[in-house]
Amino acid sequence: MFKQAFQQYKKKNPPPDLQDVIDVDLYEENKITSHSWHNLVKPVHISESAFIQSEARLRQAVGLQPEHLWRCYQLSNHPGLLLIRNPFTLSGQRYWIARGLRDYSQPPYVSNLDATKFSPAALSNWWQELQNCSNNGDVKLASRLKVAMRWTTLGYHHNWDTKVYDEAMHSTFPSDLASLCEAFCVTLGYTNFVPQAAIVNYYPIGTCLSGHTDHSELNHSAPLFSYSFGQSAIFLIGGTTLNEKPSAIYLRSGDVLVMSEASRLCYHAVPRVMTTDQEPWNIVESKANTSKENDDVGNMDTNLNNALDSKLFEKVKDELFWQPFNEFIRESRINMNVRQVLPMGMHQIPT
């Protein structure tokens, strides 16, 4: 039943009927009574009162709104699955999009780019070479470069052939992405989570990701955090076998999906990436909010400033600097999914 649902939402001609795709925006607007899924969505209330000031500052430091503004949902038929609807600020969305394109695509992180098909310049700095080709009018090469980048791995590299992690294939995990995960752990009450591996997927509109489970990690009890930016997607979440009918959920820019407990080892997929009906990374914020965000970042503790690339955080607010990132993300979706590889107390993969 999972494969059947995947093919249903993947097909292009004729386009699929999307009325059964869970849309939490319709839930918020009380427009869901006619949908078959309306009894599955359960709001999760996040209280601000339990958190101390330093924890609130951590959230602000990584581009998140105060948690009392978060809209969090769970699905009654998928225990452990949480969807947080765009908890990011405008600058926060732009920052993580830029990090994913400019920085996480470079060595020492591992990418899918084929050394036999692209120059050393493209392999060492894909984003810069893409901009050079675009600026030089080499449209054909720029187009090839753009669609060629499909994934990178951060921290522990997941070997796609052996389906295992290897201690020898290991780079330092980005401190800012680790801080982002920490902010969600603090807010949601997850303890002892250590971000050790991430896969950054780059999806052009019209592409997909087939059904699979994330079982290669030695630690299956820790949650998996999935951050979406750019164009919209349909996400399928099923059960532990392909025989179970999955639920389909809209994921939009800024959404955070958390897979924990029973949902951690369930089959999931992205059968459809499609044009979004809104661009929250370009919504102009009020001067008061922008000023407050500047003050929050400027007043961060030293250890938080070290986690964030504060220069990039400021640059993405400049429309000229932001333009090439904006052009890319208008045709693509970026997904960063972070997980813990090792059980607590274990410091390396056994040989």
Side-chain angles (χ1 to χ4, degrees), residues 277-289:
D277 56 358
Q278 51 188 305
E279 296 183 351
W281 60 88
N282 283 332
I283 296 175
V284 178
E285 295 178 324
S286 69
K287 291 184 179 180
N289 287 342

Side-chain angles (χ1 to χ4, degrees), residues 104 106-112 151-154 157 169 171:
Y104 294 162
Q106 292 190 48
Y109 310 124
V110 180
S111 80
N112 69 291
W151 56 260
T152 63
T153 54
L154 323 177
H157 169 66
M169 292 290 288
S171 59

Side-chain angles (χ1 to χ4, degrees), residues 118-324:
F118 294 102
S119 67
L123 298 175
S124 63
N125 195 329
W126 165 80
W127 179 251
Q128 185 59 57
E129 187 65 11
L130 177 59
Q131 303 317 304
N132 291 341
C133 291
S134 299
N135 295 335
N136 294 335
D138 193 341
V139 178
K140 187 175 181 179
L141 180 56
S143 179
R144 282 184 57 227
L145 272 173
K146 183 176 181 179
V147 299
M149 178 64 80
R150 298 304 300 270
W151 56 260
T152 63
T153 54
L154 323 177
Y156 279 105
H157 169 66
H158 181 261
N159 189 310
W160 304 102
D161 296 322
T162 63
K163 307 299 183 185
V164 298
Y165 293 96
D166 187 338
E167 193 66 38
M169 292 290 288
H170 182 208
S171 59
T172 301
F173 195 87
S175 58
D176 57 350
L177 189 55
S179 293
L180 180 65
C181 294
E182 180 186 351
F184 282 98
C185 287
V186 167
T187 303
L188 300 174
Y190 297 111
T191 58
N192 300 322
F193 176 80
V194 181
Q196 295 172 327
I199 302 173
V200 183
N201 295 112
Y202 306 87
Y203 297 93
I205 290 174
T207 56
C208 63
L209 177 68
S210 298
H212 64 284
T213 61
D214 293 312
H215 59 269
S216 298
E217 295 74 32
L218 301 180
N219 187 333
H220 292 158
S221 61
L224 184 152
F225 294 90
S226 177
Y227 307 100
S228 295
F229 300 102
Q231 301 306 302
S232 298
I234 293 176
F235 176 80
L236 293 184
I237 176 74
T240 55
T241 74
L242 291 171
N243 294 327
E244 300 175 57
K245 183 178 180 180
S247 299
I249 311 169
Y250 280 112
L251 291 181
R252 296 184 172 94
S253 191
D255 287 355
V256 180
L257 196 73
V258 184
M259 298 175 68
S260 66
E261 301 172 12
S263 71
R264 175 64 179 78
L265 291 175
C266 288
Y267 276 92
H268 54 281
V270 178
R272 198 173 193 87
V273 175
M274 52 199 174
T275 304
T276 184
D277 56 358
Q278 51 188 305
E279 296 183 351
W281 60 88
N282 283 332
I283 296 175
V284 178
E285 295 178 324
S286 69
K287 291 184 179 180
N289 287 342
T290 303
S291 176
K292 184 179 185 305
E293 186 177 40
N294 291 341
D295 291 341
D296 290 335
V297 174
N299 294 330
M300 285 301 119
D301 297 331
T302 302
N303 62 326
L304 296 184
N305 267 330
N306 289 340
L308 185 77
D309 186 337
S310 56
K311 291 183 178 179
L312 178 62
F313 196 88
E314 289 302 313
K315 282 184 176 180
V316 294
K317 300 173 186 177
D318 178 80
E319 296 303 322
L320 185 60
F321 177 84
W322 171 247
Q323 183 179 349

Side-chain angles (χ1 to χ4, degrees), residues 79-100:
L81 185 76
L82 291 178
L83 172 61
I84 307 173
R85 180 72 176 95
N86 188 19
F88 291 90
T89 64
L90 176 145
S91 298
Q93 282 220 30
R94 288 189 174 190
Y95 175 84
W96 292 108
I97 291 169
R99 279 289 275 164

